[in-house]
């Protein structure tokens, strides 16, 4: 459910930074100083400290320890940072607040310059909680499961680095849907509908929809269209033809080589990503701001 008002204050904060990017260091220091000035117990995620080469004088905490040691994660970076953080915390259910230091970004609400005004009400318990569905993907090869993983945006089956199309046979709940030749297939959550799926011509889904999207990339037919289905279904995509090594990506954070006959099984995961937003924010406000939609015709 999106935008559920909450009144539970936070007691401890874990800071997470954009991976392998020391440019976030000034922002992390600003966040640290702000939180410590409010006597808020503050920790730095262990891998973030290793990536930036600085502990910031804070006690370190790994994601595995975070459910016991913190009750709010503040992630400084772009949507990729939030997605990676959400995958790490999905099982524990720790809420995540995004401070945007990326580019477009639909998940990270605040800029570093807004923290003095926007962060205190959130820490005091005045915020909205936003639960986002997660995909669980399995890669099967010759009746053996060779990989499992989570995706918050999308599962992407694609032609890898080659030039030729791939061919996929898709079933939903055991029923044949189509066999299509294309550059790839995106299976996206409502969260992922504003990511790669949107760039490929798919519709934008509001986060409350219990739905999944199937969006083909450059299909070899003019009649192919994005397909929205209930998120309770099981989707099976089988690689039936490819002239070069195809690949499977989960939120673009990994790339696994595929072989002819491989099957990718996608279901909604039992866990959910938990994001925190300012009280006054809503999804359509985010879309207007990020996509530069006009308030009325003729306005900028």
């Amino acid at each position: 459910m999106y935008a559920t008002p909450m009144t539970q204050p936070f007691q401890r904060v874990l800071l997470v930074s954009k991976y392998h990017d020391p440019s976030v260091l000034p922002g992390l220091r600003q966040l640290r100083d702000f939180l410590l000035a409010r006597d808020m117990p503050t920790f730095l995620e262990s891998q973030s400290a290793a990536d930036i080469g600085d502990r910031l004088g804070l006690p370190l905490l790994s994601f595995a320890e975070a459910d016991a040691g913190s009750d709010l994660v503040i992630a400084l970076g772009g949507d990729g940072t939030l997605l990676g953080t959400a995958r790490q915390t999905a099982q524990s259910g720790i809420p995540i607040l995004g401070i945007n230091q990326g580019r477009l970004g639909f998940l990270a609400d605040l800029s570093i310059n807004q923290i003095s005004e926007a962060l205190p009400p959130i820490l005091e318990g005045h915020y909205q909680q936003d639960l986002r569905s997660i995909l669980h993907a399995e890669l099967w090869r010759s009746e053996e499961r060779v990989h499992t993983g989570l995706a918050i945006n999308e599962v992407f089956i694609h032609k890898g680095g080659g030039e030729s199309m791939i061919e996929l046979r898709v079933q939903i709940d055991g029923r044949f849907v189509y066999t299509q030749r294309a550059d790839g297939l995106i299976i996206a959550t409502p969260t992922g509908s504003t990511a790669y799926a949107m760039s490929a011509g798919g519709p934008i889904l509001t986060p409350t929809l219990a739905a999944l999207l199937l969006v083909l990339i450059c299909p070899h037919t003019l009649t192919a269209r994005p397909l929205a289905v209930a998120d309770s279904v099981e989707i099976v995509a089988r690689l039936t033809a490819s002239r070069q090594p195809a690949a499977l990506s989960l939120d673009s954070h990994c790339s696994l080589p595929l072989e002819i006959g491989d099957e990718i099984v996608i279901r909604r995961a039992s866990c959910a990503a938990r994001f925190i937003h300012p009280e006054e924010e809503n999804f359509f406000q985010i879309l207007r701001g990020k996509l530069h939609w006009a308030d009325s015709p003729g306005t900028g």
Side-chain angles (χ1 to χ4, degrees), residues 2 128 278-293:
Y2 184 81
Q128 300 178 73
E279 256 187 340
E280 67 281 1
E281 189 172 87
N282 67 75
F283 182 64
F284 301 106
Q285 175 187 349
I286 295 172
L287 291 181
R288 286 197 306 272
K290 300 297 185 180
L291 300 180
H292 305 289
W293 288 351

Side-chain angles (χ1 to χ4, degrees), residues 195-224:
Y196 197 0
M198 180 178 69
S199 298
I204 295 174
L205 303 182
T206 57
T208 50
L209 283 178
L212 300 177
L213 281 177
L214 286 80
V215 182
L216 287 158
I217 304 292
C218 299
H220 194 239
T221 171
L222 295 177
T223 59

Side-chain angles (χ1 to χ4, degrees), residues 165-170 176-185 216-225 238-241:
M165 292 181 174
I166 60 174
E167 184 178 274
L168 294 168
R169 187 181 193 275
V170 176
F176 174 69
V177 180
Y178 51 53
T179 296
Q180 293 277 12
R181 295 182 63 222
D183 285 353
L185 172 66
L216 287 158
I217 304 292
C218 299
H220 194 239
T221 171
L222 295 177
T223 59
R225 292 293 182 267
R238 180 183 179 90
L239 181 66
T240 53

Side-chain angles (χ1 to χ4, degrees), residues 247-275:
L248 169 68
S249 298
L250 308 179
D251 283 346
S252 301
H253 78 280
C254 70
S255 185
L256 303 168
L258 296 177
E259 299 176 3
I260 302 297
D262 283 358
E263 288 190 342
I264 299 90
V265 181
I266 302 108
R267 308 179 188 92
R268 186 187 63 199
S270 58
C271 54
R274 187 178 172 197
F275 295 110

